[in-house]
Each structure stands twice: as structure tokens, then as C-alpha cells.
């Protein structure tokens, strides 16, 4: 059996050691944490700081399929089969839209506008002509 | 808390950790991480006492942690502590042996290169006395610890190891015997001799 002096002496040794462990500086602690992560990594155990993984891997595949289905449903509601897009007149068939667009070229548009607003263009030419003359002088 | 994404095949294939039981494997991995986090600072101090160098001590601790995780992670958690200390002591011994070899080689080197391996000298600014009563008390405790560490370094390796494990780490005789790979009777002998040698060196009033 140990005598009390010996017990005190051994307790003092342990106390000093515990103090030295508790008073390790922040840099050394950080380096120890890095060393632990490196050791686990090297041993084939990859550790990641942060929350533990609780979502199973297959759930990502299910979420992807669900998202694709949702997008398909939304598109289906916005553009019903055989209908036209909003703002073009609901009773005009799509094939007629295409024929209308194909039949008019930009050049036709210009000629048509000139014919309808001939007076305006004549007036505009008269207003701009004196300004051009002044620039020439 | 750390989480684990991948595990070495040895973990999964190990006894008691079936391939399908991923949850048990992950729990085991987290348990190992917690164990290492729990012992890392104390292990560092033990290595620092023996090696007297911060970088060497950090390297020794990391090497010991790597070996434990790579070779013995699948063993029951109760076995980790003695195993870890055995690995750490072997690693410290390896570093000391490498240093001894370097010293022998450096004996042939020019004089200005012979002290390249010596531990760094302490910063005089850190040794400056703090005049407050708290500072005096702290300085006395620091001095007492330094004397204890110096005395520990002077002990034979087995006695030092027995004292560190029994007194500092609080391992029981059986765990210390497992860590030192010797009988329980040898542990008691080494520890008793270590205590007597330390008390003789430090004095009763230390």
C-alpha cells in the first residue's frame, strides 16, 4: 500500500501534466486537428467537418425524377396540345401562323408602309432638306 | 462532429462490420475520430517530453494516428488506447534512433552544421519574469514541470514509459502491460523504479 506522501507526490506530477495539456496554444491544437484529419484521410477514412450525412444517396435520384416530372407537367399546362400560345388569337391554327409569317418579307413591309404614309415621308424629306443645305454651306 | 463519406475496404470487410451494415461502420469511424480527438493533445505532450521538439512531436503523433487508423481501426474501441500508446512509443523511439544516426553522420560534417538537429533555444522574451503574484506562482509551476520533464528524459525508456502511462495517462496495470507488450509484474517493477528514481532526483520538496 502506498504512503500518503507518495500519493501526494504522484498526484502533483499528474496535476502538472494535466495543466500543461490544458494550456496548449491554439496553433498547436489546430495543427493536431489537421494531423488527425490527415491521418484518417491517409488511412482511407475521409472526414468532413460539418453535419453528419443523413440523406441516403438514392434519394437524390428520386428527387431528380420528381423535378423532371414537375417541369413536364408545368409545360403541358402552359401549352395545351393543338392550341396556340397566348396573345395570338385562340382560334387561329398554327399552320396558318406559319404561312402568314412566310408570306411577308421585310421588303414588303417597307413598301406597304411607304404607301400608307406617303404624306408623312414627303413632309419629313422637306424638313430635313434645309438642314442638309446648311451643313453643305 | 466529423462525418465520414468513404471507408477503406478493410473497415467494411472487417470482423463484425458487415458490408451491408453501413451505419455500424460509420459509427465505428466516428468513434475512432472521437478517440483520436480525445488523446491527441496528451499524446503530443508525451511526444514533446521525449523529443523536445514541437514539429517532431506533431509528426510522431500524426504517424501514430495514421498507423492506428490504417491497421487497427476495426479492432474493438476498448483496445485502441493501449495500442495507440504502443505505436506512439515505437514512433518516438524511431525518431530518436534516426536522430542518433544523423548525429553520427553529422560528426563528420563541418562544425557549423553539427548543431542543425539540436532543439531550438527558448525565446528569452517568453522567459522574462512576470512580477505579479499569479505570475510568480505560474513561473514556479512551469519550473517544476520542466524539472519533472528533464528527470523523465533521464530515465531508462521502459521506466519512463511505465510512468507516463500509469501516472500521466491513468492506464491501469493491465492496459499498461498491453501497451508496453510486457507482463503486469514488469509494469509494476518499472513503475516503482521510475517513482524512486524521480523522487531521488527531484527531492521531497519539489
Amino acid at each position: 500500500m502506498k504512503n500518503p506522501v507518495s500519493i501526494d507526490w504522484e498526484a502533483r506530477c499528474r496535476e502538472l501534466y494535466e495543466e500543461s495539456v490544458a494550456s496548449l496554444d491554439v496553433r498547436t491544437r489546430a495543427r493536431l486537428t489537421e494531423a488527425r484529419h490527415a491521418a484518417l484521410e491517409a488511412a482511407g477514412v475521409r472526414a468532413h467537418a460539418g453535419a453528419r450525412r443523413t440523406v441516403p444517396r438514392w434519394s437524390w435520384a428520386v428527387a431528380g425524377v420528381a423535378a423532371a416530372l414537375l417541369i413536364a407537367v408545368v409545360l403541358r399546362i402552359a401549352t395545351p396540345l393543338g392550341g396556340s400560345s397566348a396573345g395570338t388569337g385562340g382560334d387561329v391554327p398554327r399552320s396558318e401562323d406559319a404561312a402568314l409569317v412566310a408570306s411577308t418579307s421585310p421588303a414588303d413591309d417597307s413598301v406597304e408602309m411607304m404607301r400608307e404614309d406617303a404624306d408623312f415621308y414627303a413632309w419629313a424629306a422637306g424638313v430635313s432638306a434645309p438642314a442638309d443645305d446648311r451643313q453643305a454651306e | 462532429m466529423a462525418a465520414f463519406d468513404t471507408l477503406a475496404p478493410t473497415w467494411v470487410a472487417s470482423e463484425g462490420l458487415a458490408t451491408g451494415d453501413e451505419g455500424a461502420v460509420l459509427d465505428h469511424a466516428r468513434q475512432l475520430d472521437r478517440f483520436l480527438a480525445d488523446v491527441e493533445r496528451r499524446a503530443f505532450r508525451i511526444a514533446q517530453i521525449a523529443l523536445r521538439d514541437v514539429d517532431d512531436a506533431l509528426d510522431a503523433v500524426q504517424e501514430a494516428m495514421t498507423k492506428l487508423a490504417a491497421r487497427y481501426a476495426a479492432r474493438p474501441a476498448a483496445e485502441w488506447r493501449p495500442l495507440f500508446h504502443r505505436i506512439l512509443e515505437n514512433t518516438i523511439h524511431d525518431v530518436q534512433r534516426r536522430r542518433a544516426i544523423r548525429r553520427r553522420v553529422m560528426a563528420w560534417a563541418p562544425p557549423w552544421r553539427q548543431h542543425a538537429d539540436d532543439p531550438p533555444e527558448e525565446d528569452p522574451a517568453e522567459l522574462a519574469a512576470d512580477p505579479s503574484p499569479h505570475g510568480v506562482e505560474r513561473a514556479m509551476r512551469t519550473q517544476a514541470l520542466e524539472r519533472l520533464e528533464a528527470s523523465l528524459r533521464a530515465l531508462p525508456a521502459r521506466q519512463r514509459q511505465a510512468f507516463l502511462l500509469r501516472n500521466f495517462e491513468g492506464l491501469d496495470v493491465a492496459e499498461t502491460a498491453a501497451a508496453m507488450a510486457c507482463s503486469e509484474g514488469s509494469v509494476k517493477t518499472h513503475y516503482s523504479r521510475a517513482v524512486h528514481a524521480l523522487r531521488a532526483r527531484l527531492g521531497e520538496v519539489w
Side-chain angles (χ1 to χ4, degrees), chain B residues 52-117:
Chain B
R52 298 184 67 195
D53 183 82
V54 171
D55 291 326
D56 282 351
L58 281 166
D59 287 347
V61 172
Q62 181 171 340
E63 197 174 327
M65 289 194 290
T66 304
K67 284 179 181 169
L68 181 83
R71 298 178 192 171
Y72 303 106
R75 300 284 280 269
E79 292 180 17
W80 287 340
R81 189 173 292 272
L83 279 169
F84 178 75
H85 282 291
R86 191 195 295 186
I87 296 168
L88 181 66
E89 188 61 29
N90 288 341
T91 309
I92 289 169
H93 189 63
D94 286 346
V95 174
Q96 287 171 330
R97 197 168 47 214
R98 282 198 294 268
R99 274 186 187 173
I101 292 168
R102 267 205 301 268
R103 227 175 280 133
R104 249 176 262 158
V105 171
M106 293 301 262
W108 297 90
W112 62 84
R113 298 197 60 186
Q114 286 185 10
H115 300 289
D117 264 2

Side-chain angles (χ1 to χ4, degrees), chain B residues 14 55 64 76 92 98 125 146 150 165 171 185 200 206:
Chain B
S14 63
D55 291 326
I92 289 169
R98 282 198 294 268
E146 283 171 358
L165 295 176
L171 267 63
W206 165 79

Side-chain angles (χ1 to χ4, degrees), chain A residues 10 14-15 17 19 31 50, chain B residues 1 55 141 167 169 191:
Chain A
E10 289 174 44
R14 190 177 168 85
E15 186 188 338
Y17 170 71
E19 274 181 20
R31 289 177 73 185
Chain B
M1 181 188 289
D55 291 326
R141 295 182 81 81
N167 185 288
E169 289 301 305
Y191 183 72

Side-chain angles (χ1 to χ4, degrees), chain A residues 79-99:
Chain A
T79 56
L81 264 178
S84 64
S85 58
T88 57
D91 54 348
V92 182
R94 284 186 171 188
S95 57
E96 289 180 18
D97 285 348

